[in-house]
Amino acid sequence: MSFVPPGAGWPDDPAAPDTPVAHSPEEVRELAAAGRTLAELTARVSVCRACPRLVEWREEVADVRRRAFAEETYWGRPVAGWGEEKPRILLVGLAPAAHGGNRTGRIFTGDRSGDWLFASLYRTGLAVQETSVRAGDGQRLIDTRMVAAVRCAPPANKPLPEERAACYPWLQRELALTADSVRVVVALGGYAWQAVWPALKETGYSVPRTRPPFGHGVEVPLSYGGAEVTLLGCYHPSQQNTFTGRVTAAMLDGIFARASARAGKTQA
């Protein structure tokens, strides 16, 4: 089996054997719009098969596996959002990594980028552990939820435009279901910045007429239902960025400390 069947006992698997499966972009739109709760939405996300190229790639990776993880079972399915049900901070990235989230079943988990990210979240009081190795490892986010604009690991980390469009309704619906509590949105990388903008607008956030260019530390004031909301840009802690010094631990800590201050932490 090149992926974990729904309801097979994987930790924190949101789906069951009877969870509806989207096999086309049209079905993604229908199932996303009909998702009444985050639990229902994440279950449907986690079994999506709407993009043939992504389905083939994520399952091939899960079947062949990297030598370092040859003895592990790979998740091999779309990676749903996770974290607080009523987050004050929403962290948006591009897509799961082939041997990261596609292996572990949790976004931003199991690779070097995730190591940097969770260490910073822990230092700034937004995660209870310094590391996250896979779903069900005891990690918990504080006041925070993580999502990806594209939910399947793409070849070469580059989803096609039609794949981005097909996955968009999942992102937009997750924004809608969390909008009442969110006070800060952090876009991890330029693509996340581009992807989240139309989703925020469609969800009902008040956004500037012109989208500012992405940059680390760029801050855009938004609002939702009369509440002030902040969009923050953050360079992605990719290996290329961290190895070259374009992203440092202090830079990440600064973003998340600012997000925490803007959001106003409510939980311990």
Side-chain angles (χ1 to χ4, degrees):
M1 179 69 72
S2 55
F3 63 92
V4 175
W10 187 276
D12 298 334
D13 186 347
D18 60 350
T19 297
V21 179
H23 291 92
S24 68
E26 293 74 20
E27 291 183 354
V28 170
R29 288 194 292 270
E30 293 171 2
L31 290 175
R36 295 163 296 179
T37 65
L38 277 176
E40 194 170 62
L41 183 74
T42 56
R44 295 174 178 186
V45 167
S46 76
V47 295
C48 183
R49 302 184 69 83
C51 299
R53 188 183 78 115
L54 297 186
V55 171
E56 181 180 6
W57 172 249
R58 79 193 189 207
E59 294 180 5
E60 177 185 339
V61 170
D63 186 46
V64 175
R65 284 167 262 173
R66 179 174 284 173
R67 180 176 298 178
F69 309 120
E71 303 303 316
E72 293 189 25
T73 298
Y74 275 51
W75 172 248
R77 284 165 43 194
V79 184
W82 79 286
E84 292 289 351
E85 293 287 308
K86 296 182 178 180
R88 297 183 68 79
I89 299 170
L90 190 67
L91 181 60
V92 183
L94 169 56
H99 301 281
N102 189 56
R103 173 175 61 89
T104 67
R106 176 185 283 167
I107 190 67
F108 296 125
T109 294
D111 60 14
R112 292 290 181 87
S113 298
D115 292 345
W116 275 73
L117 180 62
F118 282 104
S120 182
L121 292 172
Y122 175 75
R123 289 192 298 268
T124 54
L126 298 176
V128 300
Q129 295 179 178
E130 191 172 9
T131 61
S132 179
V133 295
R134 64 171 50 252
D137 65 357
Q139 179 64 282
R140 182 173 63 84
L141 299 178
I142 300 171
D143 284 326
T144 303
R145 186 172 185 84
M146 295 182 169
V147 301
V150 175
R151 306 305 173 100
C152 292
N157 292 321
K158 294 181 179 179
L160 300 175
E162 57 266 34
E163 293 162 350
R164 298 173 183 175
C167 214
Y168 172 83
W170 297 131
L171 174 65
Q172 192 278 319
R173 185 60 180 153
E174 194 151 1
L175 261 64
L177 290 171
T178 56
D180 286 341
S181 62
V182 168
R183 296 296 175 264
V184 177
V185 179
V186 179
L188 264 183
Y191 175 68
W193 182 267
Q194 294 174 5
V196 78
W197 194 270
L200 289 166
K201 186 174 181 180
E202 185 176 347
T203 298
Y205 284 84
S206 175
V207 301
R209 182 170 300 178
T210 302
R211 181 172 61 203
F214 170 74
H216 188 82
V218 170
E219 187 171 316
V220 181
L222 314 173
S223 64
Y224 182 84
E228 294 183 357
V229 181
T230 301
L231 173 63
L232 279 175
C234 179
Y235 287 158
H236 195 287
S238 64
Q239 288 194 49
Q240 181 179 4
N241 283 344
T242 56
F243 284 174
T244 61
R246 188 168 190 250
V247 171
T248 66
M251 290 170 65
L252 289 179
D253 290 359
I255 291 293
F256 294 124
R258 195 194 315 177
S260 183
R262 296 284 190 278
K265 286 181 58 178
T266 60
Q267 301 178 27

